[in-house]
Amino acid sequence: MRVLHTSDWHLGRAFHRVNMLGAQADFIGHLVTTVREHAVDVVVVSGDVYDRAVPPLAAVELFDDALHRLAGLGVPTVMISGNHDSARRLGVGAGLIDRAGIHLRTEPSAAGTPVVLPDAHGDVAFYGLPYLEPALVKDEFAVEKAGHEAVLAAAMDRVRADLATRVPGTRSVVLAHAFVTGGEASDSERDITVGGVSAVPAGVFDGVDYVALGHLHGCQTITERVRYSGSPLAYSFSEADHRKSMWLIDLAADGSVTAERLDCPVPRPLARVRGTLDDLLADPALARHEDAWVEATLTDQVRPADPMARLTERFPHTLSLVFDPERAPDAPEVSYARRLAGRSDQQIAQDFVAHVRGAGPDEQETAVLREAFDTVRADDAVREVAR
């Protein structure tokens, strides 16, 4: 069976101030063409179809168009909700849409109920594990501790239990939306840390033939059977070096996997340039970036006059301007944003305690801070679901 694995469409998302709906529509067209030209048997979409729980109307219309075009191919599609989606909204009409061959899996309780699709060698069971917010699903999965590993492990226990009841030789594919250990994050993914832990070990998914992951925006191979497709478009300059693609997976009769990367269309390349303003404007080596979306980091000791206006004369698609004067790391002039770069909310809070009190929080205080952040994040998730 030939499976096309994609995820993280983030329909409705902008790139800085650039509307990406046109590029997202081009991707949908590319997806449909790929399905047709590569004789794909099944399309899987591993979450974050939308960029937010209540997407703009134009994004909903694009999703509707995608569903009609995929259904028109007569090729089954299996989709799950991600942490950016409203599972309830995405799942509206799932039973009816199911009849058109579009299988929306947004209910955690259905983790052990697969979409079963046959080929010449027997059945393939597709299990959809939507994003499992630990605080919201711990009771469903009867876990004592609300953590990503615990709820995913419980969901996978249901998958393996169902698979054990099926005809021997039934192959299996799991769709999941999670941060798996070994994956490399970018700046454009929403933090899903719970209890100080965001990643789960790949071993949680043992016992199935292929795991189609979503959440991380870079295309990655965790193991030969566990892969991220990544997002089809770049949504932050941290993805400037990404090769945006989808996985074309051939699942053989014995469950073995062969994978091929298929490139996605690039609306405009990304470039990160760094140096003084005069150097950036004069360096001939940067000519190749003049048509790219540019993030420019200026290292001038003194902020130059009209830097954006001058940069856009050479780089008309400059979208981001960062000031990072070359000073000693401990210099008082170093910006607050620079000091916080790469630090989690938990780390920032602990640093604040150390600054005010002269010593960082002890183990018990660290646990209290962690619980507070987890509670706020869980409350945000509950409110988003209820909107």
Side-chain angles (χ1 to χ4, degrees):
M1 185 170 287
R2 176 161 281 185
V3 179
L4 186 63
H5 168 198
T6 178
S7 73
D8 296 274
W9 294 357
H10 288 278
L11 300 181
R13 185 166 186 161
F15 182 71
H16 291 263
R17 61 178 179 272
V18 177
N19 186 316
M20 296 294 284
L21 274 170
Q24 291 168 341
D26 289 343
F27 163 70
I28 296 300
H30 171 72
L31 173 71
V32 171
T33 299
T34 299
V35 171
R36 185 185 303 113
E37 292 182 350
H38 288 267
V40 169
D41 297 307
V42 185
V43 176
V44 299
V45 186
S46 298
D48 282 353
V49 175
Y50 291 122
D51 188 56
R52 56 182 185 267
V54 185
L57 178 59
V60 177
E61 291 173 339
L62 180 55
F63 179 60
D64 180 64
D65 177 63
L67 293 187
H68 278 84
R69 294 174 74 178
L70 288 169
L73 294 173
V75 174
T77 299
V78 185
M79 293 183 172
I80 61 172
S81 50
N83 61 302
H84 280 251
D85 299 309
S86 165
R88 292 174 64 183
R89 282 186 171 82
L90 188 64
V92 168
L96 188 62
I97 296 171
D98 195 80
R99 300 179 189 176
I102 306 293
H103 308 282
L104 299 174
R105 293 296 181 261
T106 63
E107 290 293 334
S109 59
T113 305
V115 177
V116 180
L117 302 171
D119 70 1
H121 306 289
D123 288 342
V124 180
F126 289 81
Y127 297 89
L129 310 187
Y131 172 67
L132 302 175
E133 173 58 50
L136 302 184
V137 302
K138 63 183 180 68
D139 293 337
E140 167 65 33
F141 292 106
V143 297
E144 294 182 4
K145 186 176 180 181
H148 289 292
E149 183 174 356
V151 296
L152 266 173
M156 282 302 301
D157 285 343
R158 294 188 184 183
V159 168
R160 286 184 284 264
D162 178 83
L163 196 54
T165 68
R166 300 195 173 272
V167 175
T170 298
R171 289 155 292 160
S172 54
V173 174
V174 166
L175 289 72
H177 196 86
F179 191 164
V180 176
T181 303
E184 183 177 344
S186 61
D187 293 343
S188 53
E189 297 116 5
R190 182 182 295 170
D191 182 32
I192 60 171
T193 301
V194 175
V197 178
S198 59
V200 300
V204 164
F205 299 104
D206 285 351
V208 296
D209 294 309
Y210 184 70
V211 181
L213 293 174
H215 180 57
L216 299 184
H217 288 184
C219 182
Q220 301 170 59
T221 299
I222 305 300
T223 72
E224 288 304 306
R225 294 183 182 274
V226 181
R227 298 171 186 264
Y228 283 99
S229 66
S231 60
L233 296 166
Y235 292 113
S236 73
F237 278 102
S238 65
E239 301 169 55
D241 294 329
H242 285 190
R243 173 188 164 196
K244 295 302 183 181
S245 56
M246 301 177 285
W247 285 114
L248 187 65
I249 302 297
D250 283 314
L251 190 61
D254 63 357
S256 59
V257 170
T258 303
E260 178 186 355
R261 284 182 74 176
L262 302 179
D263 290 337
C264 295
V266 178
R268 190 179 298 278
L270 307 186
R272 298 176 113 171
V273 298
R274 179 185 178 90
T276 66
L277 179 58
D278 287 343
D279 287 345
L280 295 183
L281 295 177
D283 187 351
L286 300 181
R288 67 187 188 277
H289 299 316
E290 290 175 357
D291 194 45
W293 280 321
V294 170
E295 178 184 74
T297 300
L298 300 185
T299 60
D300 301 74
Q301 293 288 329
V302 177
R303 185 171 299 203
D306 299 321
M308 181 62 88
R310 294 166 65 188
L311 275 169
T312 53
E313 288 181 4
R314 183 179 188 189
F315 307 104
H317 305 289
T318 301
L319 300 180
S320 175
L321 186 57
V322 180
F323 295 96
D324 187 16
E326 293 183 343
R327 301 187 178 110
D330 57 351
E333 296 87 354
V334 173
S335 72
Y336 181 67
R338 183 178 171 187
R339 294 198 302 273
L340 298 187
R343 302 187 68 73
S344 67
D345 290 343
Q346 173 90 16
Q347 291 170 322
I348 293 169
Q350 292 175 198
D351 289 348
F352 175 75
V353 172
H355 173 74
V356 171
R357 196 170 63 185
D362 59 26
E363 185 175 337
Q364 183 177 0
E365 291 167 333
T366 299
V368 170
L369 286 171
R370 183 179 299 123
E371 182 179 358
F373 281 116
D374 287 350
T375 299
V376 169
R377 198 182 55 78
D379 287 346
D380 286 344
V382 170
R383 284 197 297 272
E384 195 164 89
V385 167
R387 288 173 66 187

PDB file of all heavy atoms in Angstrom, residues 334-342:
ATOM      1  N   VAL A 334      23.018  44.588  26.835  1.00  0.00           N
ATOM      2  CA  VAL A 334      22.404  43.455  26.146  1.00  0.00           C
ATOM      3  C   VAL A 334      20.900  43.467  26.400  1.00  0.00           C
ATOM      4  O   VAL A 334      20.445  43.622  27.530  1.00  0.00           O
ATOM      5  CB  VAL A 334      23.026  42.129  26.618  1.00  0.00           C
ATOM      6  CG1 VAL A 334      22.258  40.949  26.020  1.00  0.00           C
ATOM      7  CG2 VAL A 334      24.485  42.064  26.215  1.00  0.00           C
ATOM      8  N   SER A 335      20.117  43.299  25.356  1.00  0.00           N
ATOM      9  CA  SER A 335      18.671  43.438  25.459  1.00  0.00           C
ATOM     10  C   SER A 335      18.057  42.343  26.323  1.00  0.00           C
ATOM     11  O   SER A 335      18.586  41.235  26.442  1.00  0.00           O
ATOM     12  CB  SER A 335      18.028  43.405  24.071  1.00  0.00           C
ATOM     13  OG  SER A 335      18.081  42.098  23.540  1.00  0.00           O
ATOM     14  N   TYR A 336      16.907  42.700  26.900  1.00  0.00           N
ATOM     15  CA  TYR A 336      16.156  41.740  27.706  1.00  0.00           C
ATOM     16  C   TYR A 336      15.742  40.541  26.851  1.00  0.00           C
ATOM     17  O   TYR A 336      15.844  39.394  27.271  1.00  0.00           O
ATOM     18  CB  TYR A 336      14.930  42.446  28.272  1.00  0.00           C
ATOM     19  CG  TYR A 336      14.058  41.585  29.147  1.00  0.00           C
ATOM     20  CD1 TYR A 336      14.508  41.121  30.382  1.00  0.00           C
ATOM     21  CD2 TYR A 336      12.770  41.243  28.750  1.00  0.00           C
ATOM     22  CE1 TYR A 336      13.706  40.331  31.182  1.00  0.00           C
ATOM     23  CE2 TYR A 336      11.949  40.464  29.551  1.00  0.00           C
ATOM     24  CZ  TYR A 336      12.428  40.015  30.775  1.00  0.00           C
ATOM     25  OH  TYR A 336      11.622  39.227  31.562  1.00  0.00           O
ATOM     26  N   ALA A 337      15.304  40.824  25.624  1.00  0.00           N
ATOM     27  CA  ALA A 337      14.881  39.742  24.725  1.00  0.00           C
ATOM     28  C   ALA A 337      16.020  38.784  24.450  1.00  0.00           C
ATOM     29  O   ALA A 337      15.833  37.564  24.393  1.00  0.00           O
ATOM     30  CB  ALA A 337      14.349  40.327  23.421  1.00  0.00           C
ATOM     31  N   ARG A 338      17.232  39.323  24.274  1.00  0.00           N
ATOM     32  CA  ARG A 338      18.374  38.452  23.991  1.00  0.00           C
ATOM     33  C   ARG A 338      18.702  37.576  25.193  1.00  0.00           C
ATOM     34  O   ARG A 338      19.043  36.405  25.050  1.00  0.00           O
ATOM     35  CB  ARG A 338      19.577  39.298  23.602  1.00  0.00           C
ATOM     36  CG  ARG A 338      20.802  38.489  23.225  1.00  0.00           C
ATOM     37  CD  ARG A 338      21.945  39.367  22.791  1.00  0.00           C
ATOM     38  NE  ARG A 338      23.178  38.618  22.639  1.00  0.00           N
ATOM     39  CZ  ARG A 338      24.358  39.167  22.398  1.00  0.00           C
ATOM     40  NH1 ARG A 338      24.465  40.479  22.273  1.00  0.00           N
ATOM     41  NH2 ARG A 338      25.433  38.421  22.266  1.00  0.00           N
ATOM     42  N   ARG A 339      18.578  38.157  26.408  1.00  0.00           N
ATOM     43  CA  ARG A 339      18.875  37.366  27.592  1.00  0.00           C
ATOM     44  C   ARG A 339      17.871  36.230  27.770  1.00  0.00           C
ATOM     45  O   ARG A 339      18.187  35.183  28.337  1.00  0.00           O
ATOM     46  CB  ARG A 339      18.881  38.253  28.845  1.00  0.00           C
ATOM     47  CG  ARG A 339      19.995  39.288  28.868  1.00  0.00           C
ATOM     48  CD  ARG A 339      20.227  39.822  30.268  1.00  0.00           C
ATOM     49  NE  ARG A 339      19.048  40.417  30.865  1.00  0.00           N
ATOM     50  CZ  ARG A 339      18.691  41.683  30.712  1.00  0.00           C
ATOM     51  NH1 ARG A 339      19.419  42.491  29.937  1.00  0.00           N
ATOM     52  NH2 ARG A 339      17.614  42.157  31.321  1.00  0.00           N
ATOM     53  N   LEU A 340      16.652  36.429  27.289  1.00  0.00           N
ATOM     54  CA  LEU A 340      15.605  35.411  27.462  1.00  0.00           C
ATOM     55  C   LEU A 340      15.539  34.420  26.309  1.00  0.00           C
ATOM     56  O   LEU A 340      14.840  33.408  26.414  1.00  0.00           O
ATOM     57  CB  LEU A 340      14.240  36.092  27.598  1.00  0.00           C
ATOM     58  CG  LEU A 340      14.038  37.025  28.796  1.00  0.00           C
ATOM     59  CD1 LEU A 340      12.585  37.456  28.857  1.00  0.00           C
ATOM     60  CD2 LEU A 340      14.456  36.364  30.096  1.00  0.00           C
ATOM     61  N   ALA A 341      16.242  34.690  25.240  1.00  0.00           N
ATOM     62  CA  ALA A 341      16.144  33.848  24.040  1.00  0.00           C
ATOM     63  C   ALA A 341      16.444  32.393  24.372  1.00  0.00           C
ATOM     64  O   ALA A 341      17.447  32.070  25.012  1.00  0.00           O
ATOM     65  CB  ALA A 341      17.109  34.346  22.973  1.00  0.00           C
ATOM     66  N   GLY A 342      15.561  31.509  23.938  1.00  0.00           N
ATOM     67  CA  GLY A 342      15.771  30.078  24.109  1.00  0.00           C
ATOM     68  C   GLY A 342      15.420  29.540  25.478  1.00  0.00           C
ATOM     69  O   GLY A 342      15.583  28.344  25.729  1.00  0.00           O
TER      70      GLY A 342
END
